Amino acid sequence: MKLSQVLFSQGFGARRECEGLILSGHVGIDGSVHDDPWFEVHPEGLVFSVRGEPWPYHAKALVLLHKPPGFECSQKPKHHPSVMSLLPPPLRVRGLQPVGRLDEDTTGLLLMTDDGALIHRLTSPKKHVPKVYEIQTTDPVTDAQLDELRNGVVLHDDPLPVRAAACERTAEHALRMTLLEGKYHQVKRMVAATGNTVQVLHRSRYGILALPEDLKPGQWRWLPGPAAVLGTG
Ligand code: URA
């Protein structure tokens, strides 16, 4: 693959802009400047640099973002900035999208990718990818509420009850819940159906992936591929 094609595929601008970046000596490989846009490279495993910033080649981008509060998952946000604004320009140019949505006030693990097939695979109701939420409530969490969440509660837009795959109290006003679906405001509506209210909502796990403790709100990192989320299965 030509070096200019590599930059183009990674979101560094229009073809002409990528050629310009290379011709003006802003692109390096292994510590030396490469100013030939037509230089042939093997992209898999390649780490190039643009203006000194290292950039690993990814045919498809998959990143994990620690979503802070005050950001919307929508492409066209209404009241708050989009989570897209937390990503660097090349990833925005590539059109990464959130895998499912977290509410504006929800924090935690959000996957983002430009791989449409992967989004479908991860969000398909048939796939049952577990998502773990840490919830703080207004009122104390009762045993009856935990039982209701485990046995299933009926939400107004669906006659079939939805149940938590796992549910435990973690403090007087806190619980941890695992869901296999991703319905609209599902956690808040399930907790409301038991007579309690979600005050703080945080997603700590998605599939086999846990939010890394050293990843601060607003920070993101690359994931090697879908196996990091789904395991080998
Ligand atoms: N359930 C909710 O109610 N909100 C979220 O952001 C995620 C799950």
Side-chain angles (χ1 to χ4, degrees), residues 157-194:
D157 57 352
D158 194 345
L160 295 176
V162 278
R163 51 180 61 87
C167 187
E168 59 176 325
R169 185 172 25 229
T170 49
E172 194 188 2
H173 286 77
L175 69 149
R176 175 175 300 126
M177 186 153 83
T178 305
L179 296 182
L180 301 181
E181 316 86 351
K183 293 176 188 290
Y184 180 68
H185 291 332
Q186 187 171 346
V187 172
K188 291 174 183 167
R189 292 196 296 150
M190 285 178 75
V191 171
T194 70

Side-chain angles (χ1 to χ4, degrees), residues 115-146:
D115 184 344
L118 179 62
I119 293 182
H120 181 72
R121 213 163 126 207
L122 290 171
T123 56
S124 157
K126 289 191 196 134
K127 194 70 190 174
H128 298 310
V129 179
K131 284 142 304 242
V132 179
Y133 295 92
E134 313 294 333
I135 304 155
Q136 287 176 36
T137 56
T138 314
D139 298 315
V141 178
T142 66
D143 289 343
Q145 287 168 1
L146 293 174

Side-chain angles (χ1 to χ4, degrees), residues 28-230:
I29 299 174
D30 290 334
S32 41
V33 169
H34 278 261
D35 60 4
D36 175 6
W38 296 275
F39 181 70
E40 284 289 337
V41 288
H42 183 68
E44 287 307 327
L46 177 73
V47 180
F48 56 95
S49 64
V50 177
R51 294 197 174 92
E53 287 288 323
W55 196 264
Y57 172 88
H58 286 89
K60 293 284 180 195
L62 175 62
V63 305
L64 179 166
L65 172 74
H66 186 162
K67 181 189 174 297
F71 287 83
E72 293 183 25
C73 284
S74 162
Q75 305 268 46
K76 291 184 184 152
K78 289 202 180 98
H79 306 292
H80 300 272
S82 164
V83 286
M84 300 297 301
S85 65
L86 296 164
L87 299 180
L91 293 183
R92 283 187 252 153
V93 168
R94 285 179 74 163
L96 267 70
Q97 290 177 36
V99 178
R101 287 188 176 193
L102 291 177
D103 297 336
E104 171 273 315
D105 54 351
T106 302
T107 59
L109 198 165
L110 182 67
L111 297 174
M112 300 186 75
T113 183
D114 58 358
D115 184 344
L118 179 62
I119 293 182
H120 181 72
R121 213 163 126 207
L122 290 171
T123 56
S124 157
K126 289 191 196 134
K127 194 70 190 174
H128 298 310
V129 179
K131 284 142 304 242
V132 179
Y133 295 92
E134 313 294 333
I135 304 155
Q136 287 176 36
T137 56
T138 314
D139 298 315
V141 178
T142 66
D143 289 343
Q145 287 168 1
L146 293 174
D147 283 344
E148 273 188 80
L149 292 168
R150 286 187 198 113
N151 295 333
V153 294
V154 176
L155 304 177
H156 73 84
D157 57 352
D158 194 345
L160 295 176
V162 278
R163 51 180 61 87
C167 187
E168 59 176 325
R169 185 172 25 229
T170 49
E172 194 188 2
H173 286 77
L175 69 149
R176 175 175 300 126
M177 186 153 83
T178 305
L179 296 182
L180 301 181
E181 316 86 351
K183 293 176 188 290
Y184 180 68
H185 291 332
Q186 187 171 346
V187 172
K188 291 174 183 167
R189 292 196 296 150
M190 285 178 75
V191 171
T194 70
N196 208 334
T197 312
V198 171
Q199 212 167 34
V200 179
L201 183 54
H202 175 83
R203 183 155 69 192
S204 55
R205 300 188 72 95
Y206 194 112
I208 62 162
L209 193 69
L211 183 67
E213 280 182 15
D214 60 346
L215 192 69
K216 304 213 163 40
Q219 291 183 334
W220 66 276
R221 77 175 48 149
W222 289 103
L223 291 177
V229 181
L230 292 167

Side-chain angles (χ1 to χ4, degrees), residues 2-20:
K2 293 180 179 45
L3 187 54
S4 61
Q5 284 174 334
V6 169
L7 262 72
F8 178 69
S9 73
Q10 300 302 286
F12 282 89
R15 289 180 194 280
R16 278 285 164 84
E17 289 175 82
C18 293
E19 286 173 11

